């Protein structure tokens, strides 16, 4: 029987790459998304081409009842997950002086509170089976800040703290909790950046390129594997040397 991986924000970009990479590695995969449902057919076909089972559900991770419903559906359909990746996130970039209360709250609600709901539910499920790996998708913005991203950086920094705290609380149940901090990764988001902004960002990266979603997925696969059985409470930066 194949192990099960749950990935939030699964309809595009990094989430889609995580879904396919875990399917290729032998997992059945369950994804949830709130926006961009058009990408789910492409993800489903790519997953099913590997022989894995696929489950895709609409879920607002900022709604705790929806998160609980999603996990119950996963367990009923595929079985209890051994890997959960809190990947879903949004941006609403604005300088602090101009940032509205709603812009601040929406990003915090999704990127921090929503990820907390997912990680808490994952821990509850994994405690019963006394094993599992939880991975939080943070960002280098959470360790260095970013102009116009006070809400995003605060949420991602908080996610690192949640990761470290949860890792201490569940270690004795055989559950490992780590975070990944990507830098600039090739995606719809980076493609939509103005050309001058994109060029400036690229020039600040020692490797002189944006990362590939599959490269971040490779780190997630390692953290989910037995090769990382002694790794917990850590944050792994994947940014081409940006924060070196």
């Amino acid at each position: 029987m194949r192990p099960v991986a749950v990935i939030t924000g699964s309809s595009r970009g990094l989430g889609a790459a995580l879904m396919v990479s875990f399917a290729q590695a032998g997992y059945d995969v369950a994804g949830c998304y709130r926006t961009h449902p058009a990408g789910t057919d492409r993800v489903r076909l790519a997953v099913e081409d590997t022989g894995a089972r696929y489950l895709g559900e609409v879920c607002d991770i900022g709604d705790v009842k929806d998160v609980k419903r999603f996990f119950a559906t996963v367990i009923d359909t595929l079985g209890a997950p051994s890997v959960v990746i809190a990947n879903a996130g949004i941006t609403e970039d604005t300088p602090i002086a101009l940032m509205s209360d709603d812009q601040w709250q929406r990003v915090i609600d999704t990127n921090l509170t929503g990820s907390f709901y997912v990680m808490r539910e994952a821990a509850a499920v994994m405690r019963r089976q006394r094993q599992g790996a939880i991975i939080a998708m943070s960002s280098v913005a959470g360790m260095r800040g970013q102009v116009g991203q006070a809400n995003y950086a605060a949420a991602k920094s908080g996610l690192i703290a949640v990761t470290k705290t949860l890792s201490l609380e569940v270690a004795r149940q055989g559950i490992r909790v780590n975070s990944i901090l990507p830098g600039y990764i090739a995606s719809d988001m980076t493609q939509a950046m103005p050309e001058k902004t994109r060029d400036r960002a690229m020039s600040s990266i020692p490797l002189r390129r944006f990362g590939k979603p599959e490269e971040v997925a490779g780190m997630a696969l390692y953290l989910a594997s037995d090769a990382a059985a002694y790794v917990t409470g850590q944050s792994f930066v994947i940014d081409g040397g940006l924060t070196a």
Side-chain angles (χ1 to χ4, degrees), residues 1-72:
M1 188 173 179
R2 297 169 70 115
V4 176
V6 168
I7 297 151
T8 65
S10 64
S11 63
R12 64 172 182 159
L14 178 54
L18 287 164
M19 291 282 283
V20 176
S21 294
F22 271 80
Q24 291 172 336
Y27 288 79
D28 289 329
V29 293
C32 76
Y33 54 91
R34 186 170 62 88
T35 58
H36 306 285
T40 58
D41 284 344
R42 184 171 61 253
V43 174
R44 177 180 58 79
L45 290 172
V47 165
E48 290 177 349
D49 278 348
T50 70
R53 292 186 295 166
Y54 166 87
L55 174 67
E57 290 277 312
V58 175
C59 176
D60 178 0
I61 65 167
D63 181 337
V64 65
K65 292 181 180 178
D66 218 14
V67 170
K68 289 180 178 295
R69 177 200 58 78
F70 171 60
F71 270 85

Side-chain angles (χ1 to χ4, degrees), residues 20-185:
V20 176
S21 294
F22 271 80
Q24 291 172 336
Y27 288 79
D28 289 329
V29 293
C32 76
Y33 54 91
R34 186 170 62 88
T35 58
H36 306 285
T40 58
D41 284 344
R42 184 171 61 253
V43 174
R44 177 180 58 79
L45 290 172
V47 165
E48 290 177 349
D49 278 348
T50 70
R53 292 186 295 166
Y54 166 87
L55 174 67
E57 290 277 312
V58 175
C59 176
D60 178 0
I61 65 167
D63 181 337
V64 65
K65 292 181 180 178
D66 218 14
V67 170
K68 289 180 178 295
R69 177 200 58 78
F70 171 60
F71 270 85
T73 301
V74 171
I75 293 168
D76 287 346
T77 307
L78 300 179
S82 58
V83 178
V84 173
I85 304 177
N87 168 70
I90 62 172
T91 57
E92 291 197 30
D93 297 355
T94 307
I96 289 176
L98 302 176
M99 185 175 290
S100 70
D101 294 348
D102 286 344
Q103 285 176 311
W104 170 269
Q105 201 62 54
R106 279 193 295 266
V107 172
I108 295 296
D109 286 349
T110 297
N111 296 13
L112 181 56
T113 305
S115 293
F116 162 74
Y117 290 156
V118 170
M119 295 167 73
R120 183 177 64 181
E121 195 66 23
V125 171
M126 291 175 180
R127 276 194 180 102
R128 294 194 288 270
Q129 55 202 31
R130 300 193 68 79
Q131 66 88 27
I134 300 171
I135 301 168
M137 204 58 66
S138 182
S139 167
V140 295
M143 57 185 283
R144 57 174 274 172
Q146 192 78 11
V147 172
Q149 290 194 324
N151 47 7
Y152 184 80
K156 294 300 187 179
S157 180
L159 201 49
I160 295 170
V162 172
T163 295
K164 290 183 176 294
T165 302
L166 183 59
S167 72
L168 298 174
E169 295 175 350
V170 299
R172 291 192 177 185
Q173 285 80 50
I175 305 166
R176 297 179 296 104
V177 191
N178 294 286
S179 61
I180 299 176
L181 284 60
Y184 289 104
I185 304 299

